[in-house]
Amino acid sequence: MHKLWASTYKEMLLLIRDLGGIAILFIMPLLLLIVITLVQDSTFKTISDIKIPVLLVDNDKGEVSKNIIENLSESNSFEIFQKTSEDEAKEAVFSGKYQLAIVIPENLSSSLQKKVDQNVEGILSKFGLEEDTLIKPKEVIPSKEVRLYFDPATQVSFKSSVKNGIDKMISKIETQSIYKAFQTELGEEDAEPIFETEKFITFKEILQTKNNQEIIPNSAQHNIPAWTLFAIFFIIVPLSINLVKEKNQGTFVRLRTNPVSYATVLGGKTIVYLGVCLIQFTLMLLVGIYLFPAIGLPGIDVLGKLPMLYFVAIFSGLAAIGLGLLLGTIAKTQEQAAPFGATLAVILAALGGVWVPVFVMPKFMQVISKISPMNWALEAFYDVFLRNVGFVKILPEISLLLLFFLLTVIIAIIYNRRKNAV
């Protein structure tokens, strides 16, 4: 224990004397968390909280275009700016000034009415409800298209949601037109509506509840675990550089003249850097609890969750430390350790679902993501933060993180022993 304490004390001194390194370890992750959460916060807000400026060119000037404009305005999702020229709207969108332009074609209302009347008359004639008249040739009514122009930089997910919303709106208008045409043909135009146009089938999202209150996930609950893990795993860079520097400076040669095992040296580094990881995690939580609400971002609720959160953080830190120790043991120069460690942290974050959710990845990438220790840790954090599970539910992820730490440390010790035996 005395040797372990001496090794730990040495690591603490090295860390404290490097003020720049401490700033990078603690301040940069906090800045990263704040910036990312500010950027992503809008994606977690309800659609009514955001108004997207939209250009609209109304070439129809009829009932249908009036309904479209009213529906867009009532949705509280769009801020409508009308233009008279399609080319002008197109140029404004393609130059990046607006994200979306909607162009309503000419004669849309009259053409829709003709098409509906034609179809209704055809149906009623089948049932003998239409008066006998001379058979008139069926007029060919060309279909109409509402043209959408998107900024080329617009994300595909936004395009899909807008197109689906407008498609549903147009379908509703067509349905109402058909019901109205039937009512007119049946001579009930001035009477009470005989067709209900309100939706019969609706959907509702059922959220988790706690103390009879719905739990609504927010950007902070997603970003704090994800970017805390990224910061924790990024310590493999300074940790591996530290090990390589000691080897190149001859520190290990002097240690080998004393009865100090390599496991003891690694143990001292593990204790110090685990403390660093827990301080990082604590700072991240404090930012989420106190700073985020002060700057208008949603905060996080850790009531009753702190023991499990720190439990996950400890084993996440051990997994990152084990990887850093293994990299530092194998690397021969700082030039090898630094870029490889940084790149490895980024790859593990990408695979683990820190940047892109795992479920949207290709199938083979979803399988590969399961080997990322960052994925195990992130799932454990989500279990506690968002899914409100018990201790038993996170044991599989915790076990994997612990096994990863033990495996990397054992490989590092064996590699060092064989290398020094040569």
Side-chain angles (χ1 to χ4, degrees):
M1 290 300 297
H2 176 72
K3 295 176 182 177
L4 180 61
W5 164 246
S7 177
T8 304
Y9 182 68
K10 178 203 59 143
E11 293 299 327
M12 289 178 61
L13 289 178
L14 289 173
L15 196 61
I16 292 171
R17 289 169 183 170
D18 186 6
L19 295 179
I22 291 177
I24 292 173
L25 285 173
F26 295 133
I27 297 176
M28 293 304 292
L30 295 179
L31 292 176
L32 178 67
L33 173 64
I34 294 170
V35 170
I36 294 295
T37 307
L38 281 169
V39 170
Q40 293 186 349
D41 183 53
S42 62
T43 63
F44 288 85
K45 291 181 178 178
T46 59
I47 195 68
S48 60
D49 294 331
I50 308 162
K51 283 208 169 185
I52 301 167
V54 173
L55 296 179
L56 189 137
V57 180
D58 183 8
N59 294 323
D60 177 46
K61 311 293 185 183
E63 190 66 26
V64 174
S65 64
K66 180 182 175 183
N67 286 337
I68 291 175
I69 294 171
E70 286 179 356
N71 278 292
L72 289 173
S73 301
E74 290 172 0
S75 70
N76 292 323
S77 303
F78 303 105
E79 187 176 3
I80 307 299
F81 297 94
Q82 294 208 29
K83 292 283 186 181
T84 57
S85 168
E86 180 174 348
D87 291 334
E88 185 183 351
K90 175 181 169 183
E91 177 62 28
V93 170
F94 285 171
S95 63
K97 295 178 182 177
Y98 291 86
Q99 279 194 305
L100 170 64
I102 303 173
V103 179
I104 302 175
E106 293 180 353
N107 304 319
L108 176 61
S109 298
S110 58
S111 296
L112 175 62
Q113 191 61 50
K114 285 181 182 178
K115 187 67 176 178
V116 170
D117 290 343
Q118 192 180 81
N119 289 339
V120 170
E121 288 173 5
I123 293 172
L124 294 178
S125 66
K126 296 285 186 183
F127 291 94
L129 298 177
E130 280 289 295
E131 296 179 1
D132 293 332
T133 57
L134 294 174
I135 299 174
K136 294 184 288 187
K138 190 173 182 181
E139 182 183 355
V140 177
I141 304 171
S143 61
K144 298 289 183 178
E145 60 180 13
V146 175
R147 288 185 290 279
L148 304 178
Y149 293 95
F150 287 97
D151 176 6
T154 300
Q155 294 182 349
V156 175
S157 57
F158 173 74
K159 290 183 181 180
S160 299
S161 63
V162 169
K163 286 189 284 188
N164 289 337
I166 292 177
D167 185 56
K168 287 169 64 178
M169 182 175 61
I170 296 294
S171 298
K172 182 180 178 182
I173 293 172
E174 287 188 23
T175 303
Q176 290 174 338
S177 299
I178 293 170
Y179 286 159
K180 186 177 179 181
F182 265 112
Q183 189 157 334
T184 301
E185 289 293 330
L186 293 173
E188 303 287 341
E189 187 174 1
D190 298 326
E192 293 184 1
I194 59 175
F195 294 106
E196 292 185 7
T197 57
E198 293 299 321
K199 287 183 179 179
F200 176 71
I201 300 175
T202 60
F203 66 88
K204 179 183 178 182
E205 179 186 2
I206 306 301
L207 299 171
Q208 273 190 324
T209 58
K210 185 178 182 181
N211 299 326
N212 295 324
Q213 290 186 339
E214 291 185 336
I215 303 172
I216 303 175
N218 57 51
S219 56
Q221 290 173 312
H222 283 80
N223 281 319
I224 285 179
W227 296 104
T228 298
L229 279 174
F230 185 71
I232 287 174
F233 272 80
F234 217 79
I235 67 165
I236 66 178
V237 177
L239 179 53
S240 60
I241 290 175
N242 181 294
L243 273 167
V244 173
K245 187 186 296 183
E246 289 185 345
K247 287 190 292 186
N248 294 340
Q249 289 177 346
T251 304
F252 278 145
V253 175
R254 291 194 295 273
L255 286 174
R256 288 180 65 190
T257 61
N258 298 305
V260 178
S261 67
Y262 191 63
T264 302
V265 175
L266 298 186
K269 295 183 183 297
T270 300
I271 292 172
V272 171
Y273 279 90
L274 182 58
V276 170
C277 293
L278 293 179
I279 294 173
Q280 285 179 324
F281 182 64
T282 302
L283 291 175
M284 295 286 200
L285 289 182
L286 291 175
V287 166
I289 295 170
Y290 297 108
L291 180 60
F292 279 3
I295 61 177
L297 290 172
I300 56 170
D301 178 20
V302 296
L303 188 63
K305 301 176 182 177
L306 279 178
M308 288 177 62
L309 288 173
Y310 272 98
F311 192 71
V312 176
I314 288 172
F315 286 93
S316 301
L318 287 176
I321 290 165
L323 190 58
L325 294 176
L326 177 59
L327 177 59
T329 302
I330 295 174
K332 296 180 181 178
T333 64
Q334 295 182 48
E335 289 73 16
Q336 290 179 355
F340 184 80
T343 305
L344 183 59
V346 171
I347 291 174
L348 290 176
L351 288 176
V354 170
W355 294 340
V356 179
V358 173
F359 68 86
V360 301
M361 296 180 184
K363 289 295 183 183
F364 74 96
M365 290 300 295
Q366 292 183 27
V367 175
I368 295 175
S369 70
K370 300 301 181 184
I371 67 173
S372 171
M374 213 176 288
N375 179 258
W376 311 332
L378 188 60
E379 284 299 315
F381 272 128
Y382 282 165
D383 284 342
V384 179
F385 262 118
L386 300 171
R387 301 182 183 117
N388 297 295
V389 303
F391 177 78
V392 176
K393 292 290 186 179
I394 64 172
L395 281 181
E397 290 90 355
I398 296 299
S399 301
L400 287 172
L401 291 168
L402 178 60
L403 288 173
F404 183 82
F405 166 71
L406 294 175
L407 183 62
T408 50
V409 171
I410 290 171
I411 294 173
I413 293 172
I414 293 174
Y415 180 87
N416 179 74
R417 184 178 300 166
R418 291 187 176 180
K419 181 181 177 182
N420 291 328
V422 177

